[in-house]
Amino acid sequence: MFPAGPPSHSLLRLPLLQLLLLVVQAVGRGLGRASPAGGPLEDVVIERYHIPRACPREVQMGDFVRYHYNGTFEDGKKFDSSYDRNTLVAIVVGVGRLITGMDRGLMGMCVNERRRLIVPPHLGYGSIGLEQNSETSTLLRSHSGAHSTGCHPLLRCGSAGCVEQGRHRAARGVPGSAVLLFEVELVSREDGLPTGYLFVWHKDPPANLFEDMDLNKDGEVPPEEFSTFIKAQVSEGKGRLMPGQDPEKTIGDMFQNQDRNQDGKITVDELKLKSDEDEERVHEEL
């Protein structure tokens, strides 16, 4: 076999910098969606295409949010959609429960805002991807690619399985090194609580906290009185519980924290606010 003509030397006449740019662009196409500079994406690309006029507060780390999303690949093929399931995603953001790309993409959103996200593989499911599974949990993440645990796209997975237990169906699996595109609509947002807190008062707590909590005035507060008191504080708008969790469980955990000798009741000597405990700890450390 003989060549049809003389070899082309056109590339040899290109400047060295232009040759290097061509190589970088080719590598970028091989690794996924390229950044505006020509290389592979290093962070989430966010396009805010619908921003409401009123936005009292943007999403911050620890907030409890509800949102809808459509998830597609670069070729437009859909792999998942909360709209199709008619089920909002309800989760605390910024604490590692979502894939990193979605966690970052939700930060700074306003209620009723819509935005597009482009999530590179290392902030989604890495080189491993996520296998298709008919019964999966909602939206958890994996640090280095999801394991084959049947987790639903977006939620964090680990060696012990999915972090959450809500059951939904995944439309398709996510292949390794996949760039993920999301259309996200934020429906609601609730303020998160400081780290380590289960309940906070909106203003100062009652001056006579134990007396107010001791409903029958017998010097002891059993679980029933404690629960009734906390629920009244919430219903009257005086305080709020940690969002995104079962209120009964949260109140139960609060009671266990205060029942220091675990005898099923709280006394005035046992009752102590976490803010006071934190302040005492600082003084001890000093």
Side-chain angles (χ1 to χ4, degrees), residues 69 79-80 97 99 125 129-142 145-174:
Y69 71 94
F79 65 87
D80 189 39
R97 297 183 183 178
I99 58 172
Y125 289 96
L130 184 67
E131 291 187 1
Q132 180 174 346
N133 194 294
S134 59
E135 291 247 18
T136 54
S137 297
T138 59
L139 298 139
L140 294 166
R141 79 173 177 94
S142 171
H147 303 284
S148 299
T149 53
C151 292
H152 190 279
L154 299 190
L155 283 180
R156 178 173 62 82
C157 301
S159 58
C162 293
V163 173
E164 296 186 351
Q165 300 302 319
R167 293 292 180 181
H168 295 295
R169 293 185 178 274
R172 297 180 179 87
V174 178

Side-chain angles (χ1 to χ4, degrees), residues 98-201:
L98 292 161
I99 58 172
T100 303
M102 182 60 76
D103 250 351
R104 293 183 184 179
L106 290 169
M107 290 296 108
M109 283 195 79
C110 303
V111 173
N112 296 324
E113 179 181 341
R114 298 182 182 183
R115 57 173 58 175
R116 296 185 181 93
L117 310 178
I118 305 175
V119 178
H122 68 283
L123 300 181
Y125 289 96
S127 59
I128 298 176
L130 184 67
E131 291 187 1
Q132 180 174 346
N133 194 294
S134 59
E135 291 247 18
T136 54
S137 297
T138 59
L139 298 139
L140 294 166
R141 79 173 177 94
S142 171
H143 290 285
S144 58
H147 303 284
S148 299
T149 53
C151 292
H152 190 279
L154 299 190
L155 283 180
R156 178 173 62 82
C157 301
S159 58
C162 293
V163 173
E164 296 186 351
Q165 300 302 319
R167 293 292 180 181
H168 295 295
R169 293 185 178 274
R172 297 180 179 87
V174 178
S177 301
V179 175
L180 308 178
L181 282 66
F182 294 101
E183 298 273 346
V184 184
E185 175 188 2
L186 185 64
V187 177
S188 68
R189 184 204 60 78
E190 298 178 36
D191 290 357
L193 299 188
T195 302
Y197 284 74
L198 298 176
F199 173 90
V200 294
W201 272 280

Side-chain angles (χ1 to χ4, degrees), residues 220-285:
E220 299 176 345
V221 177
E224 296 79 12
E225 286 186 345
F226 184 85
S227 178
T228 299
F229 173 80
I230 295 298
K231 289 178 180 178
Q233 299 297 296
V234 173
S235 65
E236 294 169 11
K238 297 178 179 179
R240 70 178 189 276
L241 292 163
M242 175 182 288
Q245 294 192 14
D246 177 22
E248 296 293 343
K249 182 182 184 306
T250 301
I251 294 174
D253 290 341
M254 292 170 60
F255 180 85
Q256 292 299 319
N257 292 340
Q258 296 297 324
D259 183 14
R260 301 176 192 278
N261 62 5
Q262 302 299 298
D263 64 350
K265 58 182 181 295
I266 300 172
T267 63
V268 65
D269 294 330
E270 291 177 304
L271 185 65
K272 189 176 296 185
L273 297 178
K274 190 179 188 310
S275 55
D276 295 335
E277 292 179 338
D278 292 343
E279 185 174 348
E280 289 178 1
R281 189 175 299 111
V282 169
H283 287 301
E284 289 174 358
E285 292 174 353

Side-chain angles (χ1 to χ4, degrees), residues 66-69 82 85-90 138-139 168 185 187-188:
R66 292 181 174 87
Y67 65 93
H68 266 310
Y69 71 94
S82 65
R85 295 191 303 273
N86 196 29
T87 303
L88 287 166
V89 179
T138 59
L139 298 139
H168 295 295
E185 175 188 2
V187 177
S188 68

